[in-house]
Structure formats: C-alpha cells, structure tokens
Amino acid sequence: MNKVILMGRLTRDPEVRYSQGETPMAIARYTLAVDRRFSRNNTDNQTADFIGCVAFGRSGEFAEKYFRKGIKVLVTGRIQTGSYTNKDGVKVYTTEVVVEDQEFAESKNSSSGEGSFSGGNAPAPMAAGDGFMNIPDGIDEELPFN
C-alpha cells in the first residue's frame, strides 16, 4: 500500500501550469514544510521536512485558486519516484507526493492570528469557570441532541 498523509504549511504559492492538447489540465506543484519533532539529549528540537507535492486536474485548479504561502493544509496521496538525466549528463532522482485529496487544516482567521472561526449567526459561547462552554439562550432548538 502506498498512502501518505501530510499536514504542513506551504512554503510558497503553488506553481501552476496547464498541459497541452484539446482539454488542458492544471498541474500544480507546491512544497509543504512538515514539522519533525525529535528529542536529543533530553532537549526538544523542532525542524521541518520540505516535501514536494503535485496536484492534477481539479485539485490543481483548487490549489491555484485558494492555496497561498503560509497556509496550513492536509494532503493525502501517494509517493511517486522517478529519475531523469539533466543537461550535464547526471542522473537525478526525484520523490514527490501525488495529491489525491487536499484540504485546509485551519480556518482562515486562525492562520492570520485572529482567533478561530465561529460560523452562523449565534453568539460565540463563553467559557465558564468550570471549563465547560455556556450555551447562549435561544439556540437550544438548533442543537442536534435535545
């Protein structure tokens, strides 16, 4: 089985090209910075792996339209390896993730540091002293578990 799940931040805006032919297809390439945590000598260090991803077709169009440098995304796909000979005659080996599914891993507001998303027209719940959230009066009808 060849299945990859990654969560990281885009290092730059996706680079998108379109294939030639009757029905051009979007091909988006982007790099994710994925945190790698490890412990050495009882100290926590954090570094990142930079993983190349390629999305085809509608996934490529989605990346072109909505993905920007710095946003956190969740990607599932498969590892693909390949090789080519460069202009100097040296064989170059490649590894990239072919994207099967991609989605945002955080809300737009949280990525800009403005807090989390609170959808709907209801007022945001306030935290009570016991750690539970108070539900404002009048939205009991909207709850799926009365």
Side-chain angles (χ1 to χ4, degrees), residues 17-55:
R17 295 187 177 153
Y18 285 84
S19 64
Q20 301 296 316
E22 283 184 33
T23 55
M25 177 175 54
I27 303 166
R29 293 186 180 278
Y30 54 86
T31 302
L32 288 182
V34 178
D35 288 340
R36 178 180 8 153
R37 292 182 176 93
F38 61 94
S39 180
R40 183 180 295 168
N41 299 332
N42 294 330
T43 60
D44 287 330
N45 293 322
Q46 186 173 344
T47 187
D49 290 307
F50 298 91
I51 300 171
C53 300
V54 59

Side-chain angles (χ1 to χ4, degrees), residues 92-109:
V92 177
Y93 295 93
T94 62
T95 303
E96 61 191 357
V97 173
V98 177
V99 175
E100 294 169 357
D101 189 35
Q102 59 192 2
E103 58 190 71
F104 298 104
E106 65 185 359
S107 70
K108 187 174 184 179
N109 288 341

